[in-house]
Amino acid sequence: MACVNGRNTDTLYELSVSAVIDSYQCFKNELRMMPENVMFDLYHKLYTEKRLCLLGLELSEIDIFSRLLRVSSRRQVLLRMFQKFDDLAGVIVGTFLLTPPKIGSNFELHSPGLDSLMDHGTRVSRDLALCYARKCSIVKSNPTARDMLIDLGLRLGGFLSDSGWFSDAEKVLISCRDLCQSTDATPRYWKKTLGCCHKLLHVQTASCNYKGAEVTYQLAIDILDKLQKASETTNFAGLFAEFSALHFSRSDYNEAYKWSTEALRHVDTELPTKVTVDVLRHGAKACVVKRDFKKAGLLARQAVNLSKDAFNSEHTKYADALVDYGFYLLNFDSVQQSVLAYETALDIRREIFGKINLHVAIAHEDLAYALYVHEYSSGRFLKAREHAEKAIEIMSRLLPENHLMLASVKRVKALILEEIALDTVHNNTRMADLLRNAEDLHLSALKLATATFGEKNVQTAKHFGNLGRLYQSMKRFQDAEAMHLRAIAVKEELLGPEDYEVGLSVGHLASLYNYHMKKFRKAEQLYLRSIAISLKLFGEGYSGLEYDYRGLVHVYHALDDVDKVAEYTYLLNNWKLHREFNAHLVAPPTGLSEEPLQIEQIKAQFFDLCDTVS
């Protein structure tokens, strides 16, 4: 950038780019012969000038898009170009309605390019996927072209996955996988197939396609076995992390932990930083659900620090790391800090992906649930409801109506509506309407979860427990008891008698017996069990202890046990002191500024913790 009389002026190169774009129709064919970095700048100029019709047509051509993908240093820019079509097209249409363009201008309202952009990028994404599949069908007899097309499939599938267009990413990667398998059965192509399985498994897990993911998982296991028998070695830390993510999403937490640990063992300094961050993130989540918070905190913090150091605080990978750090904080009872992490992640994703995108929807859902937990005692749930409804709106526009991703966010909204009904609504009719709405959402979510996982699954059990709480609010106490008992039975069978999820359901059943069914001795035993689990996992300052201590004070008042009332009143007051003390010890997560540890240091600390536990 040159400077004249204190004012910035365009460089000669920038002036040249502008001149070419001003005469785009004349130079259109020549653009495609430019070096890739120059070609990228020219198309980016179309983007910044909001010439979306032309840009959409160009990006829909796979030969052009494949060259843009090779400019790896501009990947975040390409994500913005690909994703912001919906926002920019909306601006253009609004401008057109207010001020129609002059006759003879090169803006065409009904051009195919604008149609594709107005469809939130789905036609561009779909066109690329279809074109790639066609290329795969005609190239199998040409080894050189086949290898180039496999590499393109990995890049294109990965990009569409990063963009949140999971359906089209899956189509590309399945075509790529089939092309890999049509080659000679050699270790070289086995490794290419595993690379495809890595990306495909990520897409299928993220989009809840568990049947497809199981096929991909078994294929990967079979190829790993072949490579081992052939004495072929390579680093599959990223693939093992995706194995962990799949098992985590299906609530198979022991397998998730096993594979995340295996992934961490294989991490070394030769791996791409993006893969290392993913290994740390998935490992942190697996440790969280195993309630191993020291390991989880180590991995989650290092994922945030490493992603911020290697990329920047506006990068998609940093947002991913913050989401999983927020998950750790929420489960570790640092709820306010969790909200801050989720808010920052949502801001980053909206800036990159625009408003209508699955990555953004998931961030809205995560924030909605964190806000629900944070405001549980205050009763201020409007902001949480706003984010839940925004997530549902986005997912409903992008997914089939029976998609499993909607089950999770419907559950969150139902929880919020129930609390709004109980805490902020004094009109009985309005309250009943909100509770019925919540029931419909819970039942819909339960149906989707049961169809996918069956009844004996942690996710399904959570829906049983949520219905139990709702029926308690609706004064359907027998139904509430039945649902709580089903939740406890499934969780105990899958997780063991001392898991956090079991303690949660036990505490909810205790509340039902205490406040509504007057079964005080049963309530007493359940409260004591819930307290024991919470103390073991979280210590004396855990937030959930408040409800158990208050519940026991109520029980012993009802049983006229004065000594026990005094004992648990004292414990309740002591709990408040712990909470006030701990509130000053935790720094906001978005303020993390420590230098990331070397990967060998992270591994040494992690496995030292493993040895300490064993």
Side-chain angles (χ1 to χ4, degrees):
M1 185 75 73
C3 185
V4 178
N5 296 326
R7 294 180 297 174
N8 290 328
T9 60
D10 290 340
T11 64
L12 180 59
Y13 175 75
E14 291 167 335
L15 290 170
S16 300
V17 168
S18 297
V20 170
I21 293 304
D22 287 342
S23 303
Y24 171 80
Q25 296 296 346
C26 297
F27 296 116
K28 177 179 178 180
N29 294 330
E30 283 73 15
L31 258 63
R32 305 178 183 203
M33 296 184 288
M34 294 284 185
E36 288 161 359
N37 61 326
V38 176
M39 183 176 164
F40 195 106
D41 288 337
L42 290 165
Y43 287 125
H44 186 250
K45 189 66 174 177
L46 286 176
Y47 167 74
T48 58
E49 292 189 356
K50 298 182 174 64
R51 299 174 71 172
L52 302 179
C53 311
L54 300 175
L55 182 62
L57 291 172
E58 295 296 295
L59 295 188
S60 295
E61 294 192 27
I62 196 168
D63 292 335
I64 294 174
F65 200 80
S66 65
R67 296 190 65 201
L68 298 180
L69 283 173
R70 294 194 189 103
V71 188
S72 57
S73 63
R74 307 288 297 279
R75 187 178 181 87
Q76 293 293 297
V77 178
L78 187 57
L79 281 171
R80 283 180 166 85
M81 289 167 60
F82 197 80
Q83 292 296 143
K84 287 290 184 74
F85 290 155
D86 55 313
D87 290 346
L88 295 176
V91 170
I92 288 179
V93 170
T95 303
F96 177 89
L97 293 175
L98 292 173
T99 309
K102 296 179 181 179
I103 297 174
S105 69
N106 58 9
F107 177 87
E108 297 179 12
L109 180 62
H110 298 293
S111 75
L114 183 58
D115 287 343
S116 66
L117 304 179
M118 285 302 293
D119 200 19
H120 311 297
T122 55
R123 292 190 183 177
V124 175
S125 177
R126 184 169 65 244
D127 287 348
L128 291 170
L130 291 173
C131 187
Y132 181 78
R134 285 195 297 270
K135 283 180 173 288
C136 288
S137 67
I138 62 177
V139 80
K140 293 180 180 179
S141 60
N142 184 338
T144 302
R146 182 180 59 201
D147 284 4
M148 293 175 61
L149 200 55
I150 289 171
D151 293 340
L152 171 58
L154 293 172
R155 289 197 303 273
L156 178 59
F159 179 84
L160 293 176
S161 171
D162 289 347
S163 299
W165 303 112
F166 297 132
S167 177
D168 292 317
E170 183 177 17
K171 291 171 186 173
V172 168
L173 292 167
I174 287 174
S175 296
C176 185
R177 177 201 65 193
D178 293 345
L179 189 59
C180 289
Q181 292 187 284
S182 71
T183 61
D184 299 331
T186 62
R188 177 170 177 266
Y189 284 106
W190 290 340
K191 291 177 182 179
K192 284 183 177 292
T193 306
L194 274 181
C196 188
C197 287
H198 177 182
K199 295 180 182 296
L200 182 56
L201 195 61
H202 174 80
V203 168
Q204 291 169 327
T205 300
S207 60
C208 303
N209 179 8
Y210 296 120
K211 290 183 179 179
E214 182 61 27
V215 172
T216 304
Y217 173 70
Q218 291 301 330
L219 174 61
I221 293 292
D222 291 344
I223 295 175
L224 286 169
D225 185 57
K226 291 178 182 178
L227 287 171
Q228 185 177 22
K229 289 178 179 177
S231 300
E232 290 284 334
T233 58
T234 191
N235 195 323
F236 290 113
L239 179 65
F240 296 155
E242 292 303 334
F243 287 176
S244 175
L246 172 62
H247 289 292
F248 178 92
S249 65
R250 298 191 303 197
S251 304
D252 189 352
Y253 298 141
N254 289 330
E255 284 293 299
Y257 180 79
K258 181 191 81 173
W259 282 114
S260 68
T261 304
E262 190 66 19
L264 192 59
R265 290 186 193 280
H266 284 76
V267 170
D268 59 33
T269 55
E270 300 300 316
L271 274 180
T273 304
K274 176 179 182 294
V275 176
T276 301
V277 170
D278 287 340
V279 170
L280 297 176
R281 293 193 303 113
H282 292 308
K285 291 178 70 175
C287 289
V288 166
V289 292
K290 296 291 288 182
R291 304 299 153 186
D292 198 335
F293 291 111
K294 287 185 178 180
K295 295 180 194 171
L298 168 68
L299 298 181
R301 283 191 297 272
Q302 291 307 314
V304 172
N305 292 332
L306 180 58
S307 60
K308 187 175 183 179
D309 181 71
F311 307 109
N312 56 57
S313 59
E314 299 175 352
H315 197 279
T316 54
K317 193 52 59 182
Y318 180 63
D320 293 344
L322 277 179
V323 165
D324 292 323
Y325 190 49
F327 178 76
Y328 156 72
L329 289 166
L330 185 63
N331 282 271
F332 192 54
D333 205 30
S334 296
V335 183
Q336 183 175 358
Q337 289 72 29
S338 174
V339 168
L340 293 175
Y342 284 133
E343 286 177 337
T344 305
L346 174 60
D347 289 343
I348 295 170
R349 287 183 174 178
R350 278 195 297 205
E351 175 61 27
I352 295 171
F353 298 119
K355 297 178 181 179
I356 310 299
N357 180 272
L358 286 177
H359 290 310
V360 174
I362 292 167
H364 277 296
E365 178 190 344
D366 289 336
L367 179 55
Y369 185 70
L371 286 167
Y372 158 76
V373 176
H374 181 52
E375 301 294 354
Y376 190 77
S377 59
S378 73
R380 297 188 296 268
F381 295 104
L382 294 182
K383 191 174 179 182
R385 180 179 183 176
E386 176 184 332
H387 285 288
E389 290 176 344
K390 178 58 70 175
I392 291 174
E393 176 190 345
I394 297 169
M395 290 184 187
S396 297
R397 293 174 68 171
L398 299 177
L399 299 171
E401 63 179 9
N402 61 343
H403 197 282
L404 185 63
M405 289 178 73
L406 282 162
S408 178
V409 69
K410 285 180 178 180
R411 163 184 168 268
V412 173
K413 182 179 177 181
L415 293 171
I416 294 167
L417 290 182
E418 179 183 352
E419 294 307 318
I420 291 174
L422 297 178
D423 294 343
T424 64
V425 176
H426 303 289
N427 181 301
N428 289 335
T429 301
R430 178 62 175 155
M431 178 185 293
D433 289 342
L434 284 168
L435 292 176
R436 278 194 297 270
N437 192 354
E439 182 184 16
D440 290 341
L441 290 167
H442 276 315
L443 289 173
S444 174
L446 175 61
K447 182 179 179 181
L448 291 170
T450 305
T452 303
F453 301 117
E455 286 204 6
K456 291 190 175 182
N457 181 274
V458 174
Q459 298 304 317
T460 309
K462 287 181 180 180
H463 293 305
F464 289 146
N466 291 331
L467 277 167
R469 292 181 61 199
L470 177 64
Y471 289 147
Q472 184 175 345
S473 299
M474 298 174 79
K475 304 188 185 306
R476 294 166 55 179
F477 302 133
Q478 299 300 324
D479 291 335
E481 181 182 26
M483 284 295 174
H484 284 315
L485 289 171
R486 289 175 75 179
I488 291 170
V490 173
K491 290 179 180 180
E492 282 183 331
E493 180 178 346
L494 296 175
L495 303 174
E498 297 183 336
D499 187 82
Y500 161 77
E501 284 290 341
V502 175
L504 204 61
S505 290
V506 164
H508 291 153
L509 181 58
S511 173
L512 175 68
Y513 286 157
N514 179 20
Y515 295 107
H516 299 291
M517 300 185 77
K518 311 305 179 186
K519 298 180 179 181
F520 297 115
R521 287 302 179 188
K522 285 188 175 182
E524 176 191 22
Q525 295 306 310
L526 291 171
Y527 277 131
L528 292 173
R529 182 182 175 190
S530 178
I531 289 170
I533 293 172
S534 295
L535 289 173
K536 179 179 179 180
L537 294 176
F538 302 105
E540 295 180 326
Y542 175 54
S543 61
L545 287 168
E546 176 184 11
Y547 306 104
D548 291 339
Y549 288 149
R550 289 189 186 281
L552 279 174
V553 170
H554 183 273
V555 164
Y556 292 128
H557 268 300
L559 296 174
D560 202 24
D561 190 331
V562 177
D563 292 338
K564 288 292 185 181
V565 169
E567 178 184 349
Y568 281 94
T569 299
Y570 169 79
L571 288 173
L572 178 61
N573 291 330
N574 193 50
W575 168 87
K576 292 178 181 178
L577 293 176
H578 275 284
R579 292 294 293 177
E580 291 172 2
F581 177 74
N582 290 335
H584 299 291
L585 299 182
V586 183
T590 51
L592 287 176
S593 58
E594 58 194 83
E595 289 291 322
L597 298 175
Q598 298 295 317
I599 190 59
E600 292 304 322
Q601 292 176 293
I602 298 172
K603 291 170 67 173
Q605 290 189 26
F606 180 87
F607 289 110
D608 282 348
L609 289 171
C610 292
D611 293 339
T612 301
V613 172
S614 60

